[in-house]
Amino acid sequence: MGRLPPCSRDENGLKKGPWTPEEDRILVDYIQRHGHGSWRALPKLAGLNRCGKSCRLRWTNYLRPDIKRGRFSEEEEHTIINLHASLGNKWSAIATHLPGRTDNEIKNFWNTHLRKKLLQMGIDPVTHRPRTDLNILPNLPQLLATANFTNLMMTNIPLDAAHLAKLQLLHNIIQVLGTTPTMEALNFLAGPTFRENHQFSNLSLGFAPQELTQLQSNLLNLEAPQQHQPEVTEYHNQPMKDSNNHQFPSLSPANIPPPLTQSQLPALVPASPERRPQTENKNINPINISNPSSTSTTFEAWGDLMDDEESDSYWRDIIDQASSQPWPFS
DNA sequence: AAGATAGGCAACCGCAGGCAG
DNA sequence: ACTGCCTGCGGTTGCCTATCT
């Protein structure tokens, strides 16, 4: 464990690297009898060939009798996430709310588990807000699976039928977009079957009818460069049908808004010349980081996502960004 | 079965702040 | 006011282990 430099002794002849059981025993023995006193003086008094700092770390992070070891409970997880939302990387401050847990342990747990978990849920681990960069789009199905109803229930966010229906609706959209060619997906979204099942007037998901049309148009635009590039009119000449072969008239050429130009689109995602898959570390959108003062928690952010006004802008962001990026589902 | 890769985590590094002389 | 020591803290490293190919 830990680092073991090629030379395990520093220039002063003091040992570094992993502690042996014998060293542990000596340190515990000494502190139990005398207390730690001055950490700098301790190793000499205890007969350890370590620096005081190393002894202090070993004691506070591992040997202290009140340390609770083992897996973090779900309650501890939520405490850490909520405290991190308000305190940031103040691990020692967070640790004071979790008896028996050390700041080091919490920090490690955050970096290895919770951070990834939030990213998978589409939540920026820095701002604790929903991520609006396009990098989450390929993960949306997983996002939905991760941010399942159980998680949402645990947040004490009241979920009424409309909220649950929205989640279901979003899930349906993702399924369609993720498993079918774009045109078919568009036909489905625009078709009577979908509309009948999801009364947009009552359950808007933040989409006004004209916004749905805009989404359809934008999706058309972004599909074109990736596959063979037919003229837009080629699309227009195709009958727009849903999965039941019902023709849907609203996407006739006259109804489709003109394609947005690049200059009309907001530059929300940092330009990436090669669009290479980004590692999770690089996934953090600097735009999102720009709001470190956010005081709402991750789960409140999910509440925002479920809120009509908030979701308006959230969905619009995604639509706009989708327009400026090649389609990730292909 | 063996090598490669990723995940987990203990321990180290270096900086900052408090305090005493 | 300055200096040096001590401690606390957050970031980072690198070894060990589990999983994947």
PDB file of all heavy atoms in Angstrom, chain C residues 6-20:
ATOM      1  P    DC C   6       9.069  21.855  16.343  1.00  0.00           P
ATOM      2  OP1  DC C   6       9.409  21.215  17.637  1.00  0.00           O
ATOM      3  OP2  DC C   6       9.623  21.339  15.072  1.00  0.00           O
ATOM      4  O5'  DC C   6       7.477  21.855  16.197  1.00  0.00           O
ATOM      5  C5'  DC C   6       6.698  22.565  17.162  1.00  0.00           C
ATOM      6  C4'  DC C   6       5.255  22.568  16.732  1.00  0.00           C
ATOM      7  O4'  DC C   6       5.084  23.517  15.653  1.00  0.00           O
ATOM      8  C3'  DC C   6       4.739  21.229  16.223  1.00  0.00           C
ATOM      9  O3'  DC C   6       3.644  20.822  17.023  1.00  0.00           O
ATOM     10  C2'  DC C   6       4.330  21.490  14.772  1.00  0.00           C
ATOM     11  C1'  DC C   6       4.157  22.998  14.736  1.00  0.00           C
ATOM     12  N1   DC C   6       4.452  23.637  13.421  1.00  0.00           N
ATOM     13  C2   DC C   6       3.479  24.439  12.807  1.00  0.00           C
ATOM     14  O2   DC C   6       2.382  24.593  13.362  1.00  0.00           O
ATOM     15  N3   DC C   6       3.765  25.021  11.620  1.00  0.00           N
ATOM     16  C4   DC C   6       4.963  24.837  11.049  1.00  0.00           C
ATOM     17  N4   DC C   6       5.200  25.435   9.887  1.00  0.00           N
ATOM     18  C5   DC C   6       5.969  24.031  11.670  1.00  0.00           C
ATOM     19  C6   DC C   6       5.667  23.460  12.835  1.00  0.00           C
ATOM     20  P    DT C   7       3.032  19.375  16.869  1.00  0.00           P
ATOM     21  OP1  DT C   7       2.586  18.911  18.191  1.00  0.00           O
ATOM     22  OP2  DT C   7       3.938  18.551  16.040  1.00  0.00           O
ATOM     23  O5'  DT C   7       1.737  19.726  15.997  1.00  0.00           O
ATOM     24  C5'  DT C   7       0.887  20.780  16.430  1.00  0.00           C
ATOM     25  C4'  DT C   7      -0.107  21.124  15.344  1.00  0.00           C
ATOM     26  O4'  DT C   7       0.569  21.795  14.260  1.00  0.00           O
ATOM     27  C3'  DT C   7      -0.832  19.930  14.741  1.00  0.00           C
ATOM     28  O3'  DT C   7      -2.228  20.104  14.964  1.00  0.00           O
ATOM     29  C2'  DT C   7      -0.488  19.972  13.241  1.00  0.00           C
ATOM     30  C1'  DT C   7      -0.034  21.412  13.051  1.00  0.00           C
ATOM     31  N1   DT C   7       0.959  21.648  11.966  1.00  0.00           N
ATOM     32  C2   DT C   7       0.676  22.551  10.964  1.00  0.00           C
ATOM     33  O2   DT C   7      -0.368  23.167  10.910  1.00  0.00           O
ATOM     34  N3   DT C   7       1.664  22.699  10.040  1.00  0.00           N
ATOM     35  C4   DT C   7       2.884  22.057  10.013  1.00  0.00           C
ATOM     36  O4   DT C   7       3.709  22.277   9.117  1.00  0.00           O
ATOM     37  C5   DT C   7       3.126  21.129  11.085  1.00  0.00           C
ATOM     38  C7   DT C   7       4.411  20.373  11.155  1.00  0.00           C
ATOM     39  C6   DT C   7       2.156  20.971  12.001  1.00  0.00           C
ATOM     40  P    DG C   8      -3.247  18.983  14.572  1.00  0.00           P
ATOM     41  OP1  DG C   8      -4.288  18.947  15.614  1.00  0.00           O
ATOM     42  OP2  DG C   8      -2.525  17.758  14.185  1.00  0.00           O
ATOM     43  O5'  DG C   8      -3.889  19.616  13.257  1.00  0.00           O
ATOM     44  C5'  DG C   8      -4.279  20.975  13.282  1.00  0.00           C
ATOM     45  C4'  DG C   8      -4.799  21.394  11.920  1.00  0.00           C
ATOM     46  O4'  DG C   8      -3.678  21.671  11.036  1.00  0.00           O
ATOM     47  C3'  DG C   8      -5.647  20.342  11.215  1.00  0.00           C
ATOM     48  O3'  DG C   8      -6.791  20.988  10.666  1.00  0.00           O
ATOM     49  C2'  DG C   8      -4.735  19.773  10.134  1.00  0.00           C
ATOM     50  C1'  DG C   8      -3.830  20.953   9.823  1.00  0.00           C
ATOM     51  N9   DG C   8      -2.487  20.606   9.371  1.00  0.00           N
ATOM     52  C8   DG C   8      -1.625  19.711   9.950  1.00  0.00           C
ATOM     53  N7   DG C   8      -0.473  19.623   9.340  1.00  0.00           N
ATOM     54  C5   DG C   8      -0.577  20.527   8.296  1.00  0.00           C
ATOM     55  C6   DG C   8       0.369  20.865   7.297  1.00  0.00           C
ATOM     56  O6   DG C   8       1.511  20.431   7.138  1.00  0.00           O
ATOM     57  N1   DG C   8      -0.130  21.828   6.421  1.00  0.00           N
ATOM     58  C2   DG C   8      -1.389  22.383   6.515  1.00  0.00           C
ATOM     59  N2   DG C   8      -1.701  23.287   5.589  1.00  0.00           N
ATOM     60  N3   DG C   8      -2.282  22.073   7.448  1.00  0.00           N
ATOM     61  C4   DG C   8      -1.803  21.139   8.304  1.00  0.00           C
ATOM     62  P    DC C   9      -7.940  20.128  10.004  1.00  0.00           P
ATOM     63  OP1  DC C   9      -9.212  20.811  10.351  1.00  0.00           O
ATOM     64  OP2  DC C   9      -7.754  18.699  10.313  1.00  0.00           O
ATOM     65  O5'  DC C   9      -7.664  20.338   8.450  1.00  0.00           O
ATOM     66  C5'  DC C   9      -7.490  21.656   7.954  1.00  0.00           C
ATOM     67  C4'  DC C   9      -7.000  21.604   6.529  1.00  0.00           C
ATOM     68  O4'  DC C   9      -5.599  21.245   6.523  1.00  0.00           O
ATOM     69  C3'  DC C   9      -7.713  20.572   5.672  1.00  0.00           C
ATOM     70  O3'  DC C   9      -8.497  21.239   4.706  1.00  0.00           O
ATOM     71  C2'  DC C   9      -6.597  19.760   5.009  1.00  0.00           C
ATOM     72  C1'  DC C   9      -5.340  20.546   5.324  1.00  0.00           C
ATOM     73  N1   DC C   9      -4.138  19.712   5.586  1.00  0.00           N
ATOM     74  C2   DC C   9      -3.009  19.841   4.760  1.00  0.00           C
ATOM     75  O2   DC C   9      -3.046  20.645   3.825  1.00  0.00           O
ATOM     76  N3   DC C   9      -1.915  19.082   5.015  1.00  0.00           N
ATOM     77  C4   DC C   9      -1.928  18.229   6.038  1.00  0.00           C
ATOM     78  N4   DC C   9      -0.834  17.507   6.252  1.00  0.00           N
ATOM     79  C5   DC C   9      -3.062  18.082   6.894  1.00  0.00           C
ATOM     80  C6   DC C   9      -4.140  18.842   6.630  1.00  0.00           C
ATOM     81  P    DG C  10      -9.535  20.451   3.873  1.00  0.00           P
ATOM     82  OP1  DG C  10     -10.738  21.304   3.751  1.00  0.00           O
ATOM     83  OP2  DG C  10      -9.657  19.078   4.400  1.00  0.00           O
ATOM     84  O5'  DG C  10      -8.821  20.371   2.456  1.00  0.00           O
ATOM     85  C5'  DG C  10      -8.364  21.562   1.844  1.00  0.00           C
ATOM     86  C4'  DG C  10      -7.510  21.236   0.647  1.00  0.00           C
ATOM     87  O4'  DG C  10      -6.272  20.634   1.094  1.00  0.00           O
ATOM     88  C3'  DG C  10      -8.128  20.244  -0.346  1.00  0.00           C
ATOM     89  O3'  DG C  10      -7.946  20.751  -1.651  1.00  0.00           O
ATOM     90  C2'  DG C  10      -7.370  18.944  -0.097  1.00  0.00           C
ATOM     91  C1'  DG C  10      -6.015  19.447   0.384  1.00  0.00           C
ATOM     92  N9   DG C  10      -5.315  18.538   1.285  1.00  0.00           N
ATOM     93  C8   DG C  10      -5.850  17.867   2.353  1.00  0.00           C
ATOM     94  N7   DG C  10      -4.975  17.120   2.984  1.00  0.00           N
ATOM     95  C5   DG C  10      -3.798  17.329   2.296  1.00  0.00           C
ATOM     96  C6   DG C  10      -2.506  16.796   2.515  1.00  0.00           C
ATOM     97  O6   DG C  10      -2.142  16.007   3.395  1.00  0.00           O
ATOM     98  N1   DG C  10      -1.587  17.274   1.571  1.00  0.00           N
ATOM     99  C2   DG C  10      -1.882  18.148   0.552  1.00  0.00           C
ATOM    100  N2   DG C  10      -0.886  18.490  -0.247  1.00  0.00           N
ATOM    101  N3   DG C  10      -3.089  18.645   0.338  1.00  0.00           N
ATOM    102  C4   DG C  10      -3.989  18.200   1.245  1.00  0.00           C
ATOM    103  P    DG C  11      -8.347  19.917  -2.916  1.00  0.00           P
ATOM    104  OP1  DG C  11      -8.868  20.898  -3.886  1.00  0.00           O
ATOM    105  OP2  DG C  11      -9.171  18.762  -2.518  1.00  0.00           O
ATOM    106  O5'  DG C  11      -6.942  19.372  -3.455  1.00  0.00           O
ATOM    107  C5'  DG C  11      -5.888  20.305  -3.643  1.00  0.00           C
ATOM    108  C4'  DG C  11      -4.654  19.597  -4.167  1.00  0.00           C
ATOM    109  O4'  DG C  11      -4.056  18.816  -3.109  1.00  0.00           O
ATOM    110  C3'  DG C  11      -4.918  18.626  -5.328  1.00  0.00           C
ATOM    111  O3'  DG C  11      -3.915  18.811  -6.312  1.00  0.00           O
ATOM    112  C2'  DG C  11      -4.834  17.250  -4.669  1.00  0.00           C
ATOM    113  C1'  DG C  11      -3.834  17.488  -3.538  1.00  0.00           C
ATOM    114  N9   DG C  11      -4.020  16.620  -2.380  1.00  0.00           N
ATOM    115  C8   DG C  11      -5.183  16.401  -1.687  1.00  0.00           C
ATOM    116  N7   DG C  11      -5.044  15.568  -0.689  1.00  0.00           N
ATOM    117  C5   DG C  11      -3.703  15.221  -0.724  1.00  0.00           C
ATOM    118  C6   DG C  11      -2.965  14.348   0.117  1.00  0.00           C
ATOM    119  O6   DG C  11      -3.371  13.687   1.091  1.00  0.00           O
ATOM    120  N1   DG C  11      -1.623  14.273  -0.262  1.00  0.00           N
ATOM    121  C2   DG C  11      -1.076  14.960  -1.317  1.00  0.00           C
ATOM    122  N2   DG C  11       0.227  14.769  -1.542  1.00  0.00           N
ATOM    123  N3   DG C  11      -1.756  15.778  -2.120  1.00  0.00           N
ATOM    124  C4   DG C  11      -3.060  15.855  -1.756  1.00  0.00           C
ATOM    125  P    DT C  12      -3.917  17.965  -7.647  1.00  0.00           P
ATOM    126  OP1  DT C  12      -3.329  18.833  -8.701  1.00  0.00           O
ATOM    127  OP2  DT C  12      -5.243  17.351  -7.824  1.00  0.00           O
ATOM    128  O5'  DT C  12      -2.877  16.795  -7.340  1.00  0.00           O
ATOM    129  C5'  DT C  12      -1.590  17.147  -6.861  1.00  0.00           C
ATOM    130  C4'  DT C  12      -0.806  15.900  -6.534  1.00  0.00           C
ATOM    131  O4'  DT C  12      -1.331  15.291  -5.337  1.00  0.00           O
ATOM    132  C3'  DT C  12      -0.828  14.822  -7.617  1.00  0.00           C
ATOM    133  O3'  DT C  12       0.500  14.636  -8.070  1.00  0.00           O
ATOM    134  C2'  DT C  12      -1.414  13.588  -6.938  1.00  0.00           C
ATOM    135  C1'  DT C  12      -1.211  13.889  -5.446  1.00  0.00           C
ATOM    136  N1   DT C  12      -2.226  13.297  -4.519  1.00  0.00           N
ATOM    137  C2   DT C  12      -1.799  12.442  -3.529  1.00  0.00           C
ATOM    138  O2   DT C  12      -0.636  12.120  -3.385  1.00  0.00           O
ATOM    139  N3   DT C  12      -2.792  11.975  -2.707  1.00  0.00           N
ATOM    140  C4   DT C  12      -4.147  12.267  -2.778  1.00  0.00           C
ATOM    141  O4   DT C  12      -4.946  11.793  -1.988  1.00  0.00           O
ATOM    142  C5   DT C  12      -4.527  13.173  -3.840  1.00  0.00           C
ATOM    143  C7   DT C  12      -5.953  13.565  -4.008  1.00  0.00           C
ATOM    144  C6   DT C  12      -3.559  13.647  -4.650  1.00  0.00           C
ATOM    145  P    DT C  13       0.827  13.606  -9.228  1.00  0.00           P
ATOM    146  OP1  DT C  13       1.909  14.194 -10.033  1.00  0.00           O
ATOM    147  OP2  DT C  13      -0.425  13.159  -9.847  1.00  0.00           O
ATOM    148  O5'  DT C  13       1.429  12.384  -8.395  1.00  0.00           O
ATOM    149  C5'  DT C  13       2.374  12.665  -7.387  1.00  0.00           C
ATOM    150  C4'  DT C  13       2.699  11.399  -6.623  1.00  0.00           C
ATOM    151  O4'  DT C  13       1.605  11.041  -5.765  1.00  0.00           O
ATOM    152  C3'  DT C  13       2.975  10.185  -7.519  1.00  0.00           C
ATOM    153  O3'  DT C  13       4.198   9.614  -7.101  1.00  0.00           O
ATOM    154  C2'  DT C  13       1.787   9.268  -7.274  1.00  0.00           C
ATOM    155  C1'  DT C  13       1.353   9.659  -5.875  1.00  0.00           C
ATOM    156  N1   DT C  13      -0.089   9.476  -5.538  1.00  0.00           N
ATOM    157  C2   DT C  13      -0.424   8.792  -4.379  1.00  0.00           C
ATOM    158  O2   DT C  13       0.405   8.304  -3.642  1.00  0.00           O
ATOM    159  N3   DT C  13      -1.777   8.697  -4.147  1.00  0.00           N
ATOM    160  C4   DT C  13      -2.801   9.215  -4.923  1.00  0.00           C
ATOM    161  O4   DT C  13      -3.971   9.079  -4.607  1.00  0.00           O
ATOM    162  C5   DT C  13      -2.378   9.925  -6.102  1.00  0.00           C
ATOM    163  C7   DT C  13      -3.404  10.521  -7.007  1.00  0.00           C
ATOM    164  C6   DT C  13      -1.062  10.016  -6.356  1.00  0.00           C
ATOM    165  P    DG C  14       5.072   8.788  -8.129  1.00  0.00           P
ATOM    166  OP1  DG C  14       6.487   9.059  -7.811  1.00  0.00           O
ATOM    167  OP2  DG C  14       4.550   8.977  -9.490  1.00  0.00           O
ATOM    168  O5'  DG C  14       4.748   7.298  -7.678  1.00  0.00           O
ATOM    169  C5'  DG C  14       4.974   6.934  -6.327  1.00  0.00           C
ATOM    170  C4'  DG C  14       4.249   5.641  -6.022  1.00  0.00           C
ATOM    171  O4'  DG C  14       2.832   5.913  -5.880  1.00  0.00           O
ATOM    172  C3'  DG C  14       4.356   4.556  -7.100  1.00  0.00           C
ATOM    173  O3'  DG C  14       4.416   3.316  -6.448  1.00  0.00           O
ATOM    174  C2'  DG C  14       3.028   4.689  -7.840  1.00  0.00           C
ATOM    175  C1'  DG C  14       2.122   4.962  -6.649  1.00  0.00           C
ATOM    176  N9   DG C  14       0.818   5.514  -6.951  1.00  0.00           N
ATOM    177  C8   DG C  14       0.448   6.280  -8.030  1.00  0.00           C
ATOM    178  N7   DG C  14      -0.819   6.634  -8.012  1.00  0.00           N
ATOM    179  C5   DG C  14      -1.305   6.061  -6.853  1.00  0.00           C
ATOM    180  C6   DG C  14      -2.606   6.084  -6.297  1.00  0.00           C
ATOM    181  O6   DG C  14      -3.609   6.643  -6.736  1.00  0.00           O
ATOM    182  N1   DG C  14      -2.670   5.378  -5.100  1.00  0.00           N
ATOM    183  C2   DG C  14      -1.609   4.724  -4.515  1.00  0.00           C
ATOM    184  N2   DG C  14      -1.854   4.105  -3.369  1.00  0.00           N
ATOM    185  N3   DG C  14      -0.382   4.690  -5.024  1.00  0.00           N
ATOM    186  C4   DG C  14      -0.309   5.373  -6.181  1.00  0.00           C
ATOM    187  P    DC C  15       5.403   2.208  -6.995  1.00  0.00           P
ATOM    188  OP1  DC C  15       6.761   2.626  -6.616  1.00  0.00           O
ATOM    189  OP2  DC C  15       5.075   1.869  -8.391  1.00  0.00           O
ATOM    190  O5'  DC C  15       4.975   0.980  -6.073  1.00  0.00           O
ATOM    191  C5'  DC C  15       4.911   1.155  -4.664  1.00  0.00           C
ATOM    192  C4'  DC C  15       3.726   0.405  -4.097  1.00  0.00           C
ATOM    193  O4'  DC C  15       2.506   1.112  -4.427  1.00  0.00           O
ATOM    194  C3'  DC C  15       3.562  -1.022  -4.625  1.00  0.00           C
ATOM    195  O3'  DC C  15       3.393  -1.904  -3.526  1.00  0.00           O
ATOM    196  C2'  DC C  15       2.316  -0.956  -5.503  1.00  0.00           C
ATOM    197  C1'  DC C  15       1.534   0.196  -4.897  1.00  0.00           C
ATOM    198  N1   DC C  15       0.654   0.926  -5.836  1.00  0.00           N
ATOM    199  C2   DC C  15      -0.699   1.132  -5.528  1.00  0.00           C
ATOM    200  O2   DC C  15      -1.132   0.683  -4.465  1.00  0.00           O
ATOM    201  N3   DC C  15      -1.488   1.805  -6.407  1.00  0.00           N
ATOM    202  C4   DC C  15      -0.970   2.268  -7.544  1.00  0.00           C
ATOM    203  N4   DC C  15      -1.774   2.931  -8.370  1.00  0.00           N
ATOM    204  C5   DC C  15       0.404   2.084  -7.866  1.00  0.00           C
ATOM    205  C6   DC C  15       1.170   1.414  -7.003  1.00  0.00           C
ATOM    206  P    DC C  16       3.409  -3.466  -3.769  1.00  0.00           P
ATOM    207  OP1  DC C  16       4.145  -4.055  -2.626  1.00  0.00           O
ATOM    208  OP2  DC C  16       3.804  -3.763  -5.166  1.00  0.00           O
ATOM    209  O5'  DC C  16       1.865  -3.830  -3.612  1.00  0.00           O
ATOM    210  C5'  DC C  16       1.178  -3.438  -2.432  1.00  0.00           C
ATOM    211  C4'  DC C  16      -0.294  -3.768  -2.574  1.00  0.00           C
ATOM    212  O4'  DC C  16      -0.895  -2.858  -3.519  1.00  0.00           O
ATOM    213  C3'  DC C  16      -0.579  -5.192  -3.081  1.00  0.00           C
ATOM    214  O3'  DC C  16      -1.575  -5.772  -2.265  1.00  0.00           O
ATOM    215  C2'  DC C  16      -1.060  -4.963  -4.515  1.00  0.00           C
ATOM    216  C1'  DC C  16      -1.682  -3.576  -4.439  1.00  0.00           C
ATOM    217  N1   DC C  16      -1.686  -2.799  -5.709  1.00  0.00           N
ATOM    218  C2   DC C  16      -2.858  -2.165  -6.128  1.00  0.00           C
ATOM    219  O2   DC C  16      -3.877  -2.274  -5.445  1.00  0.00           O
ATOM    220  N3   DC C  16      -2.843  -1.456  -7.288  1.00  0.00           N
ATOM    221  C4   DC C  16      -1.721  -1.359  -8.001  1.00  0.00           C
ATOM    222  N4   DC C  16      -1.753  -0.641  -9.133  1.00  0.00           N
ATOM    223  C5   DC C  16      -0.509  -1.990  -7.583  1.00  0.00           C
ATOM    224  C6   DC C  16      -0.544  -2.695  -6.444  1.00  0.00           C
ATOM    225  P    DT C  17      -1.939  -7.309  -2.433  1.00  0.00           P
ATOM    226  OP1  DT C  17      -2.232  -7.827  -1.093  1.00  0.00           O
ATOM    227  OP2  DT C  17      -0.954  -7.974  -3.320  1.00  0.00           O
ATOM    228  O5'  DT C  17      -3.327  -7.230  -3.241  1.00  0.00           O
ATOM    229  C5'  DT C  17      -4.340  -6.371  -2.746  1.00  0.00           C
ATOM    230  C4'  DT C  17      -5.478  -6.301  -3.744  1.00  0.00           C
ATOM    231  O4'  DT C  17      -5.116  -5.432  -4.850  1.00  0.00           O
ATOM    232  C3'  DT C  17      -5.874  -7.649  -4.356  1.00  0.00           C
ATOM    233  O3'  DT C  17      -7.273  -7.808  -4.196  1.00  0.00           O
ATOM    234  C2'  DT C  17      -5.490  -7.522  -5.824  1.00  0.00           C
ATOM    235  C1'  DT C  17      -5.568  -6.020  -6.046  1.00  0.00           C
ATOM    236  N1   DT C  17      -4.710  -5.479  -7.143  1.00  0.00           N
ATOM    237  C2   DT C  17      -5.268  -4.595  -8.040  1.00  0.00           C
ATOM    238  O2   DT C  17      -6.420  -4.240  -7.994  1.00  0.00           O
ATOM    239  N3   DT C  17      -4.401  -4.143  -9.002  1.00  0.00           N
ATOM    240  C4   DT C  17      -3.067  -4.485  -9.145  1.00  0.00           C
ATOM    241  O4   DT C  17      -2.384  -4.015 -10.053  1.00  0.00           O
ATOM    242  C5   DT C  17      -2.555  -5.422  -8.169  1.00  0.00           C
ATOM    243  C7   DT C  17      -1.126  -5.859  -8.244  1.00  0.00           C
ATOM    244  C6   DT C  17      -3.399  -5.862  -7.224  1.00  0.00           C
ATOM    245  P    DA C  18      -7.984  -9.195  -4.511  1.00  0.00           P
ATOM    246  OP1  DA C  18      -8.710  -9.583  -3.287  1.00  0.00           O
ATOM    247  OP2  DA C  18      -7.040 -10.134  -5.158  1.00  0.00           O
ATOM    248  O5'  DA C  18      -9.057  -8.732  -5.597  1.00  0.00           O
ATOM    249  C5'  DA C  18      -9.734  -7.495  -5.407  1.00  0.00           C
ATOM    250  C4'  DA C  18     -10.392  -7.063  -6.714  1.00  0.00           C
ATOM    251  O4'  DA C  18      -9.395  -6.516  -7.601  1.00  0.00           O
ATOM    252  C3'  DA C  18     -11.082  -8.183  -7.467  1.00  0.00           C
ATOM    253  O3'  DA C  18     -12.335  -7.708  -7.944  1.00  0.00           O
ATOM    254  C2'  DA C  18     -10.118  -8.515  -8.603  1.00  0.00           C
ATOM    255  C1'  DA C  18      -9.461  -7.169  -8.854  1.00  0.00           C
ATOM    256  N9   DA C  18      -8.091  -7.234  -9.377  1.00  0.00           N
ATOM    257  C8   DA C  18      -7.062  -7.973  -8.887  1.00  0.00           C
ATOM    258  N7   DA C  18      -5.931  -7.821  -9.551  1.00  0.00           N
ATOM    259  C5   DA C  18      -6.255  -6.904 -10.535  1.00  0.00           C
ATOM    260  C6   DA C  18      -5.491  -6.318 -11.568  1.00  0.00           C
ATOM    261  N6   DA C  18      -4.204  -6.580 -11.782  1.00  0.00           N
ATOM    262  N1   DA C  18      -6.115  -5.445 -12.381  1.00  0.00           N
ATOM    263  C2   DA C  18      -7.408  -5.173 -12.166  1.00  0.00           C
ATOM    264  N3   DA C  18      -8.227  -5.657 -11.231  1.00  0.00           N
ATOM    265  C4   DA C  18      -7.579  -6.525 -10.443  1.00  0.00           C
ATOM    266  P    DT C  19     -13.362  -8.708  -8.609  1.00  0.00           P
ATOM    267  OP1  DT C  19     -14.714  -8.337  -8.110  1.00  0.00           O
ATOM    268  OP2  DT C  19     -12.880 -10.090  -8.488  1.00  0.00           O
ATOM    269  O5'  DT C  19     -13.277  -8.270 -10.143  1.00  0.00           O
ATOM    270  C5'  DT C  19     -13.346  -6.892 -10.464  1.00  0.00           C
ATOM    271  C4'  DT C  19     -12.949  -6.668 -11.916  1.00  0.00           C
ATOM    272  O4'  DT C  19     -11.519  -6.804 -12.062  1.00  0.00           O
ATOM    273  C3'  DT C  19     -13.572  -7.654 -12.912  1.00  0.00           C
ATOM    274  O3'  DT C  19     -14.289  -6.910 -13.892  1.00  0.00           O
ATOM    275  C2'  DT C  19     -12.384  -8.412 -13.501  1.00  0.00           C
ATOM    276  C1'  DT C  19     -11.247  -7.413 -13.294  1.00  0.00           C
ATOM    277  N1   DT C  19      -9.885  -8.000 -13.218  1.00  0.00           N
ATOM    278  C2   DT C  19      -8.897  -7.518 -14.058  1.00  0.00           C
ATOM    279  O2   DT C  19      -9.095  -6.632 -14.872  1.00  0.00           O
ATOM    280  N3   DT C  19      -7.670  -8.114 -13.913  1.00  0.00           N
ATOM    281  C4   DT C  19      -7.340  -9.110 -13.014  1.00  0.00           C
ATOM    282  O4   DT C  19      -6.196  -9.568 -12.968  1.00  0.00           O
ATOM    283  C5   DT C  19      -8.404  -9.566 -12.167  1.00  0.00           C
ATOM    284  C7   DT C  19      -8.155 -10.642 -11.160  1.00  0.00           C
ATOM    285  C6   DT C  19      -9.613  -8.989 -12.304  1.00  0.00           C
ATOM    286  P    DC C  20     -15.086  -7.654 -15.021  1.00  0.00           P
ATOM    287  OP1  DC C  20     -16.338  -6.876 -15.236  1.00  0.00           O
ATOM    288  OP2  DC C  20     -15.155  -9.096 -14.748  1.00  0.00           O
ATOM    289  O5'  DC C  20     -14.131  -7.402 -16.271  1.00  0.00           O
ATOM    290  C5'  DC C  20     -13.635  -6.088 -16.494  1.00  0.00           C
ATOM    291  C4'  DC C  20     -12.596  -6.106 -17.605  1.00  0.00           C
ATOM    292  O4'  DC C  20     -11.382  -6.741 -17.134  1.00  0.00           O
ATOM    293  C3'  DC C  20     -13.027  -6.869 -18.863  1.00  0.00           C
ATOM    294  O3'  DC C  20     -12.756  -6.071 -19.995  1.00  0.00           O
ATOM    295  C2'  DC C  20     -12.172  -8.133 -18.835  1.00  0.00           C
ATOM    296  C1'  DC C  20     -10.912  -7.639 -18.112  1.00  0.00           C
ATOM    297  N1   DC C  20     -10.148  -8.697 -17.414  1.00  0.00           N
ATOM    298  C2   DC C  20      -8.780  -8.861 -17.699  1.00  0.00           C
ATOM    299  O2   DC C  20      -8.254  -8.130 -18.549  1.00  0.00           O
ATOM    300  N3   DC C  20      -8.084  -9.819 -17.049  1.00  0.00           N
ATOM    301  C4   DC C  20      -8.692 -10.582 -16.145  1.00  0.00           C
ATOM    302  N4   DC C  20      -7.962 -11.510 -15.523  1.00  0.00           N
ATOM    303  C5   DC C  20     -10.075 -10.426 -15.826  1.00  0.00           C
ATOM    304  C6   DC C  20     -10.755  -9.477 -16.484  1.00  0.00           C
TER     305       DC C  20
END
